[in-house]
Amino acid sequence: MTRKALLLAGIVPLALCLAPGAAALGAQDLQDRAVEPPPPSETPLPDDPNQIQFSADLAEYDSSGDVVTVTGDVRLFRDGNRLRADKVVWNRKTGQVIAEGDIAVTNPEGDTAYGDRIELTDSLRDGMIDNMLVVLEQGGRIAAERGTRDDGGVIRVDRAAYTPCAVVDSGNCPKEPSWKITAVRVVYDPAKQRIRYTGARVSLFGIASLPLPVFSHSVGTDNASGLLAPEIRYDSVNGFEVALPYYFDLGASKGLTVTPHIFTGALPMVQAEYRQLLERGAFRITGYGTYSRRSDDFVSPTPDVSSENAFRGYIDAAGRFQFDPNWSASGSVRLASDRTFLRRYDISSDDRLRNNVRVERIDRDSYFSINGWFVQTLRPTENQGLQPVALPEIDYRLRFGQNLIPGGRFELQANSLAISRGQGQDTQRAFTSLRYDLRKLTSWGQEVTLTAYGRGDLYNTQDTLATTVASYRGLEGFRARAIGALALDLKWPLIGEAFGGTQRVTPRFQIVAAPKLENFDVPNEDARSVDLEDSNLFALNRFPGYDRFEDSTRFTFGLDYALYLPGLSVEANVGQSYRLTSRPAILPDGTGLDGRLSDIVGRTVVRYRDFVAFTHRYRLDKDNLAIRRNEIDATVGSRETFVTLGYLRLNRNISFALEDLQDREEARVGARVQISRFWSAFGSAVIDLTDKEEDPTSLADGFEPIRHRLGVEYEDDCIRLGLTWRRDYQSTGDARRGSSYLFTLALKNLGR
């Protein structure tokens, strides 16, 4: 029976070669067949992989024709492969083996091939299958009128179709797949792990049909070169745009994607992205390049302002490398050829590009870093020569002494920074600080933290007159400064049951004492955007950086509240501080900290299951309770249908000269609505509500749209189709206001 078993087993390899080999084909009839896949054998298989186990209702042998015929629920099992058929005939003279009638073949991976007739020659290396359907374990399916395999293993399928999409609806009724590929001929070369289509078309929902005269893709598990999903866009500046990415497979851990962008209203642009994974890290580099008219210093909707034709482009690169468990290096580079390139081609709306390189060492008790920073401004009114270059910034921190007193800890910090400007002030700074924190719990449950802090600074400053804001300059040349502070922080959490849940009320009190400092003798490079809020109310220094330190003695008091109910949580805090000294503060008027008594700040956070998330931050004027800061962020809805709301108003009455503290008012809204199971609509808008009340120099009327977006999208298990309308209301040089339309089409699971 061994020779006969081998010949019969040849049916299995052919069918299964057609199955995984044609893993990206399709079906003329993609619906399930009536026959059930063959179940696993109920008895152990032979140890010899060249033998098969089979069963049938009837076996006949024609001695005159030397023909063996088995009929009636024929089942073959060999080396993990299973076959079911109504009839199998082996002609020993011609070497021909034929299986007929409701054939189903399953391989060890779970892929199942169906057919009406499978024919093999005695070489077992070539043959054909009629009315083929292959259902892959991963979900894709293929079918064809006929499939053949030649002696070299190349498989050719005629009049075939492929889809990875569902062919039945939620009620298990037959339906047209979301998309499928049909082709006159499909050729699969197992040596190249690639499928090629001839005369192919992509059909969407059984209606739209896109021609693909010549088309191929990989069916292996590795990456492969080829075209990616196209992108179609229209805007009022560049006209119609078609972007067609092509991926170049350069190896198992690296690849290059080149995307030509073709416009009807501008010269073409090329985009390239290179990614590579190394043994100790990874990096990527993205670049854009084109040749067009440049007008980057004009704020005008007029297209014929003074400009020049030149190369324009942008580079965006980032990488990180881990040399050992402690040492690492990272960097990011973002540079544009001019100030309007990113906005004109809708690459980014950022108005400043930050570049950074960093080396770090981190262990359990210490941190060391060397940083370098460079900023490119894209704002038309800013001078690039005034932008700082911070190189190097060196920072070292060490924690020690945890075992000297239980609950206590020392932290040593050493920091240096050098800032240079092409046309502005240069500053060098170095300091060393030592901080000690001791945390204790009393027998009544109070949490007491004692803090002692000391620091010594050394500054060197040049060209101070180049800084327009006098309070930011400092004095020319070398200056030294000593800082010291003592603090006591007391919290008393009171926890109990309330309203069917748990309630926590935590009164909080803090004392900070620091001697008077000559803060204005040194420059202010990193502590300009100071503003009293809930996050820094109890901070040792309420300035955001190192160049300013809040002196004098102050008392800070507040209350934290939390309520936790089933599905609902409410968290809130409110507080205020009081300075003992009456001398003028170093903080500008309007920051909430300029008087002896500070403004009132607080925050409220409400969450209801996964349906509502609401956050409100505020600052109230201490004299008349006017709202100086009002910030709301809210999300209401499920993952499918939701609305997000945002509102911010800064009404601090600060001098317009302090650019880092200018007042603003802005509203944001976004929403997504699930119309049906697969259809959804979405939109978002940003509106500038700033007027003369917030900004005396503003010419706006208090309702100035910045941009909005509206769209509709269809997405199911194997296709995403969408149309988005976006409008920009601001013009800067050749990045002019107007509408743009984006059409997206992504075929999921292609090649699965």
Side-chain angles (χ1 to χ4, degrees):
M1 294 297 294
T2 300
R3 175 63 176 167
K4 176 181 176 182
L6 287 173
L7 289 174
L8 292 175
I11 300 171
V12 178
L14 173 61
L16 295 174
C17 280
L18 291 173
L25 305 182
Q28 297 299 343
D29 181 9
L30 291 164
Q31 299 299 322
D32 291 333
R33 304 292 170 87
V35 60
E36 292 292 330
S41 174
E42 297 179 357
T43 58
L45 297 178
D47 295 332
D48 186 354
N50 292 324
Q51 294 185 0
I52 67 169
Q53 180 187 100
F54 78 96
S55 63
D57 294 341
L58 178 65
E60 299 177 344
Y61 175 66
D62 182 359
S63 58
S64 61
D66 201 9
V67 175
V68 178
T69 303
V70 291
T71 57
D73 194 18
V74 181
R75 301 188 185 188
L76 307 180
F77 304 93
R78 175 179 178 267
D79 197 24
N81 300 303
R82 312 190 299 270
L83 178 144
R84 166 184 280 170
D86 293 340
K87 180 179 180 181
V88 176
V89 179
W90 172 35
N91 189 321
R92 299 182 63 183
K93 290 183 178 180
T94 63
Q96 185 183 57
V97 179
I98 298 174
E100 296 178 330
D102 289 337
I103 301 168
V105 185
T106 302
N107 66 6
E109 289 74 30
D111 304 325
T112 301
Y114 302 88
D116 294 339
R117 188 174 187 272
I118 295 179
E119 180 179 333
L120 292 169
T121 62
D122 56 1
S123 67
L124 306 181
R125 302 185 65 182
D126 55 355
M128 65 179 62
I129 181 171
D130 293 334
N131 192 19
M132 181 188 72
L133 170 67
V134 177
V135 179
L136 304 178
E137 176 66 18
Q138 294 181 339
R141 55 181 57 210
I142 59 175
E145 291 185 357
R146 173 170 294 189
T148 63
R149 184 182 70 169
D150 62 23
D151 189 60
V154 177
I155 298 173
R156 293 174 173 83
V157 183
D158 298 325
R159 298 186 179 278
Y162 159 77
T163 185
C165 308
V167 296
V168 294
D169 59 20
S170 57
N172 208 33
C173 298
K175 78 176 187 69
E176 185 71 21
S178 300
W179 69 268
K180 66 180 179 181
I181 298 177
T182 58
V184 175
R185 167 156 289 203
V186 182
V187 178
Y188 167 61
D189 188 339
K192 298 180 179 179
Q193 289 274 300
R194 196 161 191 87
I195 292 180
R196 298 188 180 276
Y197 299 81
T198 302
R201 303 185 73 89
V202 178
S203 299
L204 305 178
F205 307 105
I207 302 174
S209 186
L210 307 176
L212 294 171
V214 179
F215 175 64
S216 69
H217 62 78
S218 171
V219 295
T221 57
D222 298 330
N223 295 331
S225 302
L227 292 171
L228 304 180
E231 190 173 278
I232 301 173
R233 182 194 304 267
Y234 172 81
D235 65 53
S236 56
V237 177
N238 300 314
F240 280 100
E241 173 190 356
V242 177
L244 189 61
Y246 190 92
Y247 175 76
F248 293 90
D249 178 32
L250 304 179
S253 60
K254 54 187 175 181
L256 173 67
T257 303
V258 177
T259 308
H261 297 256
I262 308 300
F263 307 95
T264 59
L267 291 175
M269 179 175 66
V270 176
Q271 173 189 353
E273 181 181 52
Y274 179 81
R275 294 173 177 260
Q276 185 169 356
L277 177 66
L278 303 173
E279 181 180 356
R280 297 186 181 275
F283 69 94
R284 63 161 182 83
I285 302 174
T286 303
Y288 297 79
T290 187
Y291 188 84
S292 65
R293 184 150 65 179
R294 179 191 298 179
S295 53
D296 57 3
D297 293 322
F298 297 90
V299 183
S300 171
T302 305
D304 57 351
V305 294
S306 176
S307 60
E308 62 175 345
N309 289 321
F311 171 82
R312 306 178 69 184
Y314 169 63
I315 185 170
D316 181 359
R320 182 174 179 85
F321 303 91
Q322 192 75 37
F323 304 114
D324 61 32
N326 302 120
W327 283 96
S328 66
S330 61
S332 61
V333 176
R334 298 183 68 196
L335 294 171
S337 60
D338 55 85
R339 306 194 184 200
T340 59
F341 177 79
L342 297 183
R343 278 198 54 207
R344 168 170 178 170
Y345 292 97
D346 200 20
I347 299 172
S348 171
S349 59
D350 292 343
D351 57 5
R352 284 178 178 171
L353 303 180
R354 293 173 176 85
N355 300 265
N356 171 245
V357 60
R358 173 180 298 176
V359 177
E360 287 182 308
R361 186 189 187 279
I362 304 174
D363 61 26
R364 181 180 179 86
D365 293 312
S366 69
Y367 171 79
F368 173 74
S369 71
I370 301 177
N371 264 296
W373 296 89
F374 169 74
V375 177
Q376 180 186 10
T377 181
L378 303 183
R379 299 178 180 180
T381 58
E382 286 187 346
N383 184 352
Q384 180 62 45
L386 297 179
Q387 300 304 309
V389 178
L391 180 69
E393 181 204 24
I394 303 175
D395 190 51
Y396 175 73
R397 307 182 191 192
L398 174 66
R399 296 186 306 191
F400 63 95
Q402 289 92 329
N403 298 323
L404 294 179
I405 301 177
R409 184 182 69 184
F410 287 95
E411 181 175 316
L412 173 69
Q413 182 179 9
N415 181 282
S416 69
L417 173 65
I419 293 179
S420 61
R421 295 176 175 88
Q423 302 174 25
Q425 177 174 320
D426 297 336
T427 301
Q428 296 86 45
R429 180 195 71 200
F431 73 78
T432 301
S433 68
L434 182 64
R435 174 170 175 159
Y436 180 73
D437 291 292
L438 177 63
R439 177 178 174 272
K440 290 291 186 179
L441 296 177
T442 70
S443 58
W444 283 18
Q446 295 113 334
E447 178 185 339
V448 180
T449 303
L450 299 173
T451 301
Y453 181 78
R455 195 176 94 195
D457 302 341
L458 181 64
Y459 283 82
N460 182 30
T461 310
Q462 301 89 34
D463 300 324
T464 57
L465 294 180
T467 299
T468 57
V469 181
S471 62
Y472 292 166
R473 294 173 181 167
L475 299 179
E476 192 87 11
F478 284 92
R479 288 290 183 275
R481 180 177 61 174
I483 296 174
L486 295 174
L488 181 147
D489 195 309
L490 173 64
K491 301 178 185 178
W492 194 357
L494 306 172
I495 303 175
E497 297 181 355
F499 310 108
T502 302
Q503 177 179 253
R504 184 181 70 240
V505 180
T506 307
R508 186 172 180 180
F509 178 75
Q510 181 193 60
I511 303 175
V512 178
K516 179 182 177 181
L517 301 174
E518 298 299 334
N519 277 286
F520 293 124
D521 287 354
V522 299
N524 184 359
E525 297 280 6
D526 64 1
R528 299 180 179 182
S529 298
V530 60
D531 196 7
L532 180 64
E533 54 187 25
D534 65 282
S535 61
N536 65 6
L537 176 64
F538 287 92
L540 187 66
N541 179 30
R542 292 184 285 197
F543 282 94
Y546 298 110
D547 290 337
R548 292 288 182 266
F549 193 90
E550 190 176 0
D551 55 11
S552 77
T553 299
R554 68 179 185 269
F555 302 96
T556 306
F557 38 89
L559 183 70
D560 295 342
Y561 177 80
L563 175 64
Y564 301 103
L565 304 175
L568 174 67
S569 67
V570 179
E571 298 176 347
N573 59 52
V574 64
Q576 193 176 22
S577 67
Y578 178 80
R579 298 171 63 242
L580 285 183
T581 181
S582 60
R583 63 183 174 85
I586 62 173
L587 297 108
D589 293 342
T591 59
L593 292 164
D594 51 292
R596 297 182 68 176
L597 187 64
S598 76
D599 287 350
I600 301 169
V601 295
R603 179 188 63 188
T604 302
V605 179
V606 179
R607 292 186 176 90
Y608 176 69
R609 302 188 185 278
D610 292 330
F611 189 75
V612 175
F614 173 85
T615 302
H616 180 214
R617 293 181 176 88
Y618 58 90
R619 176 158 67 88
L620 304 178
D621 191 289
K622 60 181 179 298
D623 297 322
N624 54 17
L625 298 182
I627 300 176
R628 297 303 181 190
R629 180 189 186 99
N630 193 14
E631 184 177 1
I632 297 173
D633 287 288
T635 301
V636 180
S638 63
R639 298 175 65 92
E640 293 78 20
T641 298
F642 60 87
V643 59
T644 63
L645 300 172
Y647 174 77
L648 171 65
R649 187 186 185 192
L650 301 175
N651 183 25
R652 299 172 292 192
N653 294 326
I654 296 178
S655 170
F656 185 73
L658 300 177
E659 59 179 351
D660 302 281
L661 299 171
Q662 293 176 13
D663 289 339
R664 290 288 184 268
E665 188 173 9
E666 179 182 279
R668 307 178 306 278
V669 61
R672 185 180 187 90
V673 178
Q674 196 72 30
I675 302 172
S676 64
R677 182 181 178 186
F678 301 121
W679 285 96
S680 62
F682 56 89
S684 63
V686 179
I687 302 172
D688 184 5
L689 302 177
T690 305
D691 57 17
K692 292 183 181 297
E693 185 176 352
E694 289 84 25
D695 183 357
T697 65
S698 176
L699 300 178
D701 60 1
F703 189 90
E704 185 72 26
I706 304 299
R707 58 185 173 272
H708 75 242
R709 184 179 64 141
L710 293 173
V712 62
E713 184 177 70
Y714 175 92
E715 183 172 9
D716 60 20
D717 60 328
C718 66
I719 191 173
R720 185 172 69 250
L721 179 68
L723 180 64
T724 303
W725 168 42
R726 174 177 170 172
R727 182 170 180 83
D728 197 319
Y729 292 87
Q730 295 182 332
S731 295
T732 305
D734 62 347
R736 300 190 300 275
R737 60 189 298 169
S739 297
S740 63
Y741 303 88
L742 175 64
F743 173 75
T744 58
L745 172 62
L747 305 181
K748 303 180 183 179
N749 312 320
L750 182 60
R752 191 176 71 174

